[in-house]
Amino acid sequence: MRSRVWARGGHSVEGGIAMSTLGIIGSGNIGTAVARLAVAADINVVIANSRGPQSLAGLVEELGSRAAAGTVEQAARAGEATLLSIPLAAYGSVPAELLRGRSVLDTGNYYPSRDGRIAELDAEKVTTTELAQQLLPGALLVKAFNNILAHHIPQLARPAGAPDRSALPIAGDDPGAKARAAELIERLGFDTVDAGALAESWRFEPESGAYTQIYLADPDVPVERMLQAAAAPLPADTLRTALEAGQRVKVSERVF
């Protein structure tokens, strides 16, 4: 059966270029939040995790008829793009050939407390997504959705043109992949700000001025309460200023 292609606003168009299906590898907080926005925007999702499709039955039922559980291989090849939202240490377990030539939205961050120390990142020879690109040669990686707390994603999503619409940064080396990522993110409810190439993606990695706290309604919320804290809209101009003013953090000193 031929897939439908959906334009912004949810109307199907034959021969259009808007995304009809999104593959999602990783069913954690970010992957699930994006999946919810996708089905709300009339985008089909095929979601996978390391535990297998049967572990996703409850989530798929909650998401509704536009969602399906699949294997990692099925999610990697579904639709026009793939969202990769897994721990950095697991990137090597994703068969690189599955993502070769595909637009991949990479939500990953380096957290030494979870991932262990990675010398190449600690030495700042590469950014996290540049390392991911080495692990997934041929994939068209776009850094996205890594700088916002998962519960802020549905809180801040707004229709195009809304006065309180927020922006998310993206970075990537392939212009076409970056354009496709921007189109998807804008359809999900956010404006985008181009932060440059993968080498510049440190500007919105952990501890940077454009990372998570910039979306807080109360920037003085204690760290231990951030996962429940309310969000406030972040206009594109404010995000752009934060990205341009960013100072590269000492990754080797990161402890969380």
Short mmCIF file of all heavy atoms in Angstrom, two decimals, residues 13 52-53 161 186 231:
data_model
loop_
_atom_site.label_atom_id
_atom_site.label_comp_id
_atom_site.label_asym_id
_atom_site.label_seq_id
_atom_site.Cartn_x
_atom_site.Cartn_y
_atom_site.Cartn_z
N VAL A 13 -1.03 15.12 0.40
CA VAL A 13 -0.81 15.60 -0.95
C VAL A 13 -0.04 14.54 -1.72
O VAL A 13 0.94 14.00 -1.25
CB VAL A 13 -0.01 16.93 -0.95
CG1 VAL A 13 -0.85 18.05 -0.42
CG2 VAL A 13 1.28 16.82 -0.16
N GLY A 52 12.91 -4.91 22.14
CA GLY A 52 12.05 -5.58 21.17
C GLY A 52 10.65 -5.00 21.10
O GLY A 52 10.19 -4.33 22.03
N PRO A 53 9.95 -5.22 19.97
CA PRO A 53 8.63 -4.61 19.74
C PRO A 53 7.60 -4.94 20.81
O PRO A 53 6.74 -4.11 21.13
CB PRO A 53 8.22 -5.19 18.38
CG PRO A 53 9.50 -5.55 17.71
CD PRO A 53 10.41 -6.00 18.81
N GLY A 161 3.31 30.18 13.60
CA GLY A 161 2.77 31.52 13.69
C GLY A 161 2.30 31.93 15.07
O GLY A 161 1.95 33.09 15.28
N GLU A 186 9.73 22.00 12.66
CA GLU A 186 8.74 23.08 12.53
C GLU A 186 7.33 22.52 12.49
O GLU A 186 6.39 23.10 13.04
CB GLU A 186 9.06 23.91 11.29
CG GLU A 186 10.31 24.77 11.49
CD GLU A 186 10.85 25.36 10.22
OE1 GLU A 186 10.20 25.20 9.17
OE2 GLU A 186 11.93 25.98 10.27
N ALA A 231 8.24 25.14 31.94
CA ALA A 231 8.99 25.78 30.85
C ALA A 231 8.38 27.14 30.52
O ALA A 231 7.24 27.43 30.87
CB ALA A 231 8.96 24.90 29.61
#
